[in-house]
Amino acid sequence: MAISRLVAKNLHKSFFQGDKILKVLCGINFEFEKGKSYAITGVSGSGKSTLMHLLGGLDVPTSGTVFCDGQDLFKLKSSRKERFSNRELGFIFQFHYLIKELNVLENISIMGLIRGDSKIESEKRGIILLKDIGLSDFAQSYPTQLSGGQLQRVAILRAIFNKPSFLLADEPTGDLDAINAKMVINLISRCKDEWGMGIILCSHDDAVYNRMEGILKLDDGLLKQEK
Ligand SMILES: Nc1ncnc2c1ncn2[C@@H]1O[C@H](COP(=O)(O)OP(=O)(O)O)[C@@H](O)[C@H]1O
Ligand SMILES: [Mg+2]
């Protein structure tokens, strides 16, 4: 099953802060297509991460929903939802969250194991992916031995290991200098150009979001298309 559309339908999300209700998303409607790239921009606190978490099924909306090819993401049974998220959606964050006790190859091929592939099969695919992005020499290295930009690229490989339909990236270059940010964004672009994934990225760095085809801005709880 590969999905071709991720659709936000009248998404609302509020948080309790003390005894007050904070309305962060106030009716988001948008259709994201596989094979296209989108940037979500907006000032800090505008709700970018909140929206990304809902699109990835990592949090539940107050009302409204996310449809994946017509299937309500929040109505899937938890086992199916897990399986679905694992295969169809890849997620990367500002910090890489690699497991420090595992080497680079183990950190990415664990995604194959979770899916049910054998260790040999998973590591074989891991080696091909690392070679492809020029990091084969680091297969046996541990996360503490890599630079921030290298770690983030490994985190991307982990996210795309099972060839998801969509890659969701929350401020993926937020912790990187310009040169490393460029390498990361080049790899994200390849995910679309070569592997046909849909990219949904949030960033407030214009050098990053200008590389995406569609530019959307979160403002006052609503999403407006700028490009
Ligand atoms: N779990 C939470 N509980 C309470 N408030 C939250 C929670 N998550 C986010 N918020 C609030 O929601 C608003 C939007 O946050 P966020 O989505 O992280 O914004 P952005 O990613 O654009 O900086 C912020 O005011 C933040 O404090
Ligand atoms: Mg954020």
Side-chain angles (χ1 to χ4, degrees), residues 23-53:
K23 289 185 179 172
V24 178
L25 305 178
C26 308
I28 305 286
N29 289 291
F30 197 79
E31 205 169 304
F32 298 93
E33 283 176 52
K34 184 175 185 288
K36 295 208 168 150
S37 61
Y38 306 86
I40 297 171
T41 70
V43 296
S44 179
S46 57
K48 300 183 295 298
S49 296
T50 303
L51 176 57
M52 296 290 280
H53 293 161

Side-chain angles (χ1 to χ4, degrees), residues 11-12 26 32 48 52 56 111 114 135 174 186 190 193 198-199:
L11 268 186
H12 287 74
C26 308
F32 298 93
K48 300 183 295 298
M52 296 290 280
M111 296 306 289
I114 291 171
L135 288 180
N186 286 346
R190 282 187 65 197
D193 297 339
I199 308 296

Side-chain angles (χ1 to χ4, degrees), residues 46-194:
S46 57
K48 300 183 295 298
S49 296
T50 303
L51 176 57
M52 296 290 280
H53 293 161
L54 295 180
L55 291 173
L58 304 177
D59 196 1
V60 290
T62 307
S63 65
T65 196
V66 174
F67 286 108
C68 317
D69 278 359
Q71 172 84 251
D72 188 327
L73 181 60
F74 301 102
K75 286 197 177 135
L76 292 176
K77 285 207 188 88
S78 65
S79 57
R80 271 199 74 199
K81 188 168 160 217
E82 228 165 77
R83 217 184 117 192
F84 174 84
S85 312
N86 240 320
R87 288 187 180 223
E88 296 297 333
L89 308 173
F91 223 111
I92 50 171
F93 303 90
Q94 179 170 352
F95 300 103
H96 56 78
Y97 296 117
L98 296 174
I99 301 168
K100 65 177 191 305
E101 291 81 8
L102 300 182
N103 69 31
V104 163
L105 180 59
E106 290 163 341
N107 257 294
I108 59 175
S109 42
I110 195 170
M111 296 306 289
L113 298 180
I114 291 171
R115 190 171 94 152
D117 295 344
S118 72
K119 187 162 186 263
I120 293 176
E121 233 176 308
S122 304
E123 295 202 339
K124 214 162 129 190
R125 175 156 167 73
I127 288 166
I128 292 171
L129 283 171
L130 284 170
K131 188 163 178 224
D132 195 9
I133 67 158
L135 288 180
S136 336
D137 290 349
F138 294 92
Q140 310 300 327
S141 305
Y142 286 83
T144 50
Q145 299 170 304
L146 271 67
S147 74
Q150 290 170 331
L151 290 169
Q152 195 60 306
R153 281 151 65 214
V154 173
I156 295 173
L157 291 193
R158 184 183 53 182
I160 64 166
F161 194 86
N162 293 329
K163 300 188 191 126
S165 299
F166 285 88
L167 175 65
L168 290 90
D170 187 353
E171 305 275 3
T173 60
D175 198 39
L176 302 177
D177 57 50
I179 294 171
N180 277 298
K182 195 162 178 203
M183 286 169 91
V184 163
I185 206 72
N186 286 346
L187 178 57
I188 289 176
S189 298
R190 282 187 65 197
C191 293
K192 178 185 92 74
D193 297 339
E194 289 176 37

